[in-house]
Amino acid sequence: MTHPYLDLPPMSAAHFASVEDRVARLLGTEQDVVIMQGEALLPLEGAIRAAAGPGTVALNVITGPYGQTFGNWLRDCGATVIDLAVPFHTAVTAEQIQAAFAERPEIDFVSLVHAEAATGNTNPVAEIGEVVREQGALFYLDAVASIGAEPVLPDAWGVDLCVIGAQKAMGGPAGVSAVSVSERAWARMAANPGAPRRSYLSLLDWKERWVDGGRKALLHAPAQLEMLALEACVERIETVGLDAVMARHAAAAAATRAGAGALGGGLEPYVYEAREAAPVATTLRVPDGVVASEVVARALESDPSLPLAAGGGALAKEMVRVNHYGPDASVEVVQSCLAALGGALAELGVTGRQRRSR
């Protein structure tokens, strides 16, 4: 008995390399691209542990929960970490990065999340990249939530380590991810005695056994179904056009912000400025006296398939997330989400234009 997902012939090294090449074209990069056989946390952690060590002085930008995680990994590596935290309803600025360098010119590593789907903000990577490049620091970027929703250009922006995942705006699988690596980043890893070796976390293993070997022999059996899904995902984006995919996300985000204000139930954008709001997902504040998680629970009773969630942790009290990414990046989905949220607020007795105190 056969099944389309089973009994497949092994994926060849050439096929694997061709998928990497398509991901590189998606990023517009000439850097080496390595597809990692796991969710994006694998290359996110692996890249930090490979490039950072006791001699590293890292500027870690925190605009959401992932920035906090990166700081913890950097400290685990023995790096000196300078946290630059900004309120989650806003974005960091290039001027703030410049000021951090002025105060601590020995900074040689900068870690940043492009778009924080958890908080709904996005950071101006192009402008920040100019500052980082002028200072000569290594630039590490989490673009997992931004790829497919807004431009991600590692070469143009001077990003040395750019990690992406397909499960959000790309509308693809979660079980594989990718990282583009500059020559400077490879050199930093090779000089780091603490970089993981002979490890699932090791990027240097991929460099020496895969990239330097001409991509002819894989390190281990690949996650074939996820690789095929990633290939299909990239092919779909190529067919539709990356600009069209990004435009759908931008339209969905704009519709969510506008529609929330028009509902009349006191919902308002969590990220104050539209230019600082991520196109991948829109976060909304609920009015005073209302618990966001209860609003979401009621809204999902009408349609459990809606891409709605409450904020994580303490944000569950005040934040609603409309996850309009991938196939849900459409005005129709946004309208359904807002209708369900409006109905939930009405059931909770919320009327008028109540606002949560800032």
Side-chain angles (χ1 to χ4, degrees):
M1 180 178 180
T2 61
H3 189 282
Y5 297 156
L6 301 175
D7 305 318
L8 297 173
M11 173 171 273
S12 68
H15 191 174
F16 192 103
S18 73
V19 180
E20 285 185 335
D21 290 340
R22 293 174 88 163
V23 172
R25 287 195 293 273
L26 183 70
L27 290 169
T29 184
E30 297 296 322
Q31 298 177 2
D32 291 324
V33 169
V34 177
I35 296 179
M36 303 292 282
Q37 302 298 282
E39 199 271 338
L41 282 172
L42 174 63
L44 285 170
E45 181 174 0
I48 280 181
R49 295 195 182 279
T56 302
V57 180
L59 176 64
N60 180 52
V61 182
I62 301 175
T63 59
Y66 279 99
Q68 294 169 331
T69 297
F70 300 159
N72 293 336
W73 287 338
L74 286 161
R75 291 182 177 88
D76 286 345
C77 294
T80 299
V81 181
I82 300 134
D83 285 328
L84 172 56
V86 302
F88 289 177
H89 62 255
T90 187
V92 73
T93 66
E95 290 74 21
Q96 288 172 302
I97 303 295
Q98 184 70 66
F101 274 109
E103 186 173 340
R104 297 291 296 271
E106 69 272 28
I107 291 168
D108 62 358
F109 186 97
V110 175
S111 52
L112 175 71
V113 179
H114 187 182
E116 284 269 12
T119 52
N121 54 32
T122 191
N123 293 298
V125 182
E127 291 87 346
I128 291 169
E130 289 184 14
V131 174
V132 177
R133 190 162 49 243
E134 287 172 2
Q135 301 297 326
L138 205 72
F139 193 8
Y140 162 101
L141 184 71
D142 171 357
V144 174
S146 53
I147 183 66
E150 55 187 307
V152 177
L153 302 167
D155 292 10
W157 296 343
V159 178
D160 296 288
L161 292 159
C162 182
V163 176
I164 67 168
Q167 69 266 33
K168 286 189 166 60
M170 288 176 65
V176 289
S177 47
V179 54
S180 65
V181 188
S182 72
E183 288 300 322
R184 290 198 323 143
W186 284 131
R188 177 80 70 96
M189 294 179 201
N192 179 12
R197 305 303 298 268
R198 297 168 297 282
S199 164
Y200 206 60
L201 283 172
S202 177
L203 281 169
L204 282 175
D205 287 356
W206 281 95
K207 165 69 170 169
E208 294 175 1
R209 296 171 58 190
W210 172 246
V211 177
D212 291 348
R215 299 191 300 176
K216 296 187 182 303
L218 288 161
L219 276 65
H220 49 73
Q224 176 151 287
L225 292 179
E226 287 80 1
M227 286 295 296
L228 292 173
L230 176 61
E231 182 179 42
C233 167
V234 175
E235 182 175 356
R236 182 170 62 182
I237 293 173
E238 290 171 346
T239 300
V240 175
L242 181 57
D243 287 345
V245 175
M246 292 190 294
R248 284 198 298 109
H249 286 82
T256 307
R257 290 179 69 87
L263 263 183
L267 286 177
E268 60 181 8
Y270 184 84
V271 178
Y272 300 161
E273 301 293 335
R275 60 186 172 78
E276 296 177 344
V280 67
T282 300
T283 48
L284 303 171
R285 294 174 186 272
V286 296
D288 285 321
V290 177
V291 177
S293 58
E294 294 179 3
V295 175
V296 170
R298 284 180 179 265
L300 291 177
E301 287 176 1
S302 63
D303 184 353
S305 70
L306 293 174
L308 293 170
L315 294 175
K317 294 181 179 180
E318 64 177 354
M319 178 193 289
V320 172
R321 284 172 48 194
V322 183
N323 295 318
H324 47 66
Y325 49 72
D328 290 324
S330 74
V331 173
E332 293 75 20
V333 169
V334 167
Q335 289 172 338
S336 296
C337 288
L338 292 173
L341 290 171
L345 288 168
E347 289 178 14
L348 291 169
V350 179
T351 58
R353 304 290 294 175
Q354 302 175 59
R355 297 290 185 189
R356 178 175 286 275
S357 300
R358 293 182 176 179

